[in-house]
Amino acid sequence: MPVLWRSLSSGKDRGLSQPPFAQQPGQTTYPPYQQPGQPPQYQPQYGPPQYTPAPMMPQQGPGFGWGPGGPGWGQQPPKKKSKAPIFVLLGFVVLAVIGIGAWALSQSSAEPHSSPRYTPSPTRTQPTEQPTGQPTNSPSEKPSAATVAARNKLYSVGRMATVNCKEPRVRPTNTRNAAAYWAALKPCLDKSWAPLVTKAGYTFKSPRMTYWSGSTITNPCGGGVINVPFFCSANNMLYMKVDVFVKTYNEYPDAESKAYARMWYSRSIAHEYGHSVQYMTGILQAASQMRYDASDYAGQLRMTRRMELQANCFAGVFLAANKSSYPINGMMLYVWRKWVVTAGDDPEEGDHGSKASQARFMGKSFNTGNPATCNTFAAPAKNVS
């Protein structure tokens, strides 16, 4: 059975042009108001307007946690000199006063509403979950993990149709607005992926989503310091970290930096949703098994890259299908091409893929809008560096 792991940014990026708050090689990043070993400074007090909490009912057993690498993993445009540092500092003071911190808010459009509830797994044991569905035309004999990952029927469903998704008009100037921004995109992702997952012969189940700030969040996939959004399969939940979105958006006043933040974090929710699509189609479980079976660390890391590159590629599929209505043009298209799709690890060193690999998969899927572009598991090792 596969070993569980959380694929977050390793911090070895690594010669990239990074935001000032991004972690540097050999360092661990903590929010400026949260130091190692300290308890959260405040508790959840609010969520996005018109969204009420949904019950959090984790499946029994542990799950897989996946993250996009966050701002520390990506590039950001060179910053113009301004008085922004003072603004950011004052912003942190105000945010601390109004109660930003470790908080969680669940949102679901299809389930009854109640207060969030977390049931952490006490230990990292071997997973027991199976794919949420099997292709209706699959043989009775269970396919191998390699077959599920590399020959999945999701690759043959064709282009994603647009659902005319528009970028949310709210701007992520505070945590409430950041949560509202992502909450507005979630229905677009549901409508976009449901037909493709169903056409592939799997059962579509929309992931739930919660919002949080700080350095830790209780979840069934494990613990420890977390600095980025992530997906947990144990409860099919997207954990969207709002404070990193706010910080990136508010850091500098120029239009390029703000467009970068919106484009990066639009990709971020689409990436985490991509991990949920992997889970629904059995790819996530298959990759976990193959990673566990890998004979060395290099093989394990390469399997992780295949998983993360595919999630980014799936994000590109969604953004491609809706680029006209969003719209992704002008400054948004400029920062996508210059900063988002060109971000990456040093070749063969990171867990999310090199710049060349990002361009090969996410860059291409942004043009094709087709999941067939995203078969990272059939690609030769040199193409998933």
Side-chain angles (χ1 to χ4, degrees), residues 44-382:
Q45 295 186 12
Y46 56 84
Q50 82 261 8
Y51 298 99
T52 53
M56 297 183 67
M57 302 175 63
Q59 302 171 0
Q60 291 184 353
F64 311 90
W66 303 89
W73 171 73
Q75 292 181 294
Q76 189 163 14
K79 301 303 181 182
K80 301 177 182 178
K81 293 183 179 180
S82 69
K83 297 181 180 179
I86 297 177
F87 174 78
V88 173
L89 178 60
L90 293 176
F92 285 138
V93 172
V94 173
L95 293 177
V97 170
I98 65 174
I100 295 189
W103 64 283
L105 170 66
S106 301
Q107 180 268 331
S108 171
S109 60
E111 298 180 5
H113 301 298
S114 65
S115 299
R117 183 176 41 153
Y118 299 88
T119 307
S121 176
T123 58
R124 284 176 172 248
T125 55
Q126 296 177 350
T128 57
E129 65 265 47
Q130 298 295 323
T132 55
Q134 291 291 339
T136 55
N137 58 350
S138 62
S140 56
E141 184 178 344
K142 184 178 179 180
S144 68
T147 297
V148 172
R151 299 181 183 179
N152 200 283
K153 291 187 179 297
L154 184 66
Y155 307 138
S156 61
V157 295
R159 285 178 57 90
M160 176 179 284
T162 183
V163 294
N164 295 313
C165 186
K166 292 179 172 57
E167 184 192 11
R169 300 182 68 177
V170 63
R171 291 295 176 257
T173 53
N174 55 50
T175 53
R176 180 191 295 271
N177 288 350
Y181 188 99
W182 275 327
L185 289 179
K186 173 66 161 47
C188 291
L189 286 155
D190 289 339
K191 292 176 183 177
S192 295
W193 280 109
L196 272 61
V197 171
T198 302
K199 186 176 180 179
Y202 293 92
T203 301
F204 176 82
K205 184 176 182 181
S206 172
R208 291 172 292 172
M209 186 160 66
T210 188
Y211 315 93
W212 63 286
S213 295
S215 60
T216 60
I217 178 69
T218 303
N219 70 92
C221 284
V225 175
I226 308 170
N227 294 307
V228 294
F230 65 97
F231 168 73
C232 177
S233 69
N235 53 4
N236 196 25
M237 182 77 73
L238 311 179
Y239 288 80
M240 304 308 297
K241 195 172 190 298
V242 290
D243 54 350
V244 294
F245 193 3
V246 174
K247 182 173 177 64
T248 306
Y249 186 81
N250 287 337
E251 191 78 12
Y252 292 91
D254 63 283
E256 183 177 346
S257 295
K258 293 190 180 300
Y260 164 85
R262 288 154 47 208
M263 195 69 260
W264 181 271
Y265 285 101
S266 293
R267 182 214 60 98
S268 181
I269 185 174
H271 172 106
E272 298 311 329
Y273 201 102
H275 283 311
S276 180
V277 171
Q278 291 171 331
Y279 180 63
M280 285 185 268
T281 56
I283 296 173
L284 185 66
Q285 298 89 321
S288 174
Q289 179 67 61
M290 289 189 289
R291 183 185 185 276
Y292 178 77
D293 292 338
S295 60
D296 56 19
Y297 175 73
Q300 294 176 355
L301 192 61
R302 186 176 299 112
M303 186 56 61
T304 302
R305 284 198 298 269
R306 292 183 189 276
M307 179 65 60
E308 297 295 344
L309 284 166
Q310 184 177 79
N312 257 1
C313 189
F314 284 168
V317 169
F318 168 76
L319 294 171
N322 296 282
K323 68 173 70 171
S324 295
S325 58
Y326 207 69
I328 302 176
N329 56 26
M331 186 63 77
M332 292 285 275
L333 183 59
Y334 173 79
V335 297
W336 169 266
R337 288 174 174 171
K338 186 173 183 179
W339 302 111
V340 181
V341 81
T342 60
D345 301 315
D346 291 337
E348 302 295 339
E349 291 189 10
D351 56 9
H352 279 67
S354 65
K355 296 179 185 180
S357 294
Q358 298 298 339
R360 184 174 292 111
F361 292 104
M362 180 170 64
K364 187 176 180 180
S365 69
F366 185 71
N367 295 324
T368 67
N370 193 325
T373 305
C374 304
N375 190 355
T376 58
F377 296 94
K382 65 180 182 180

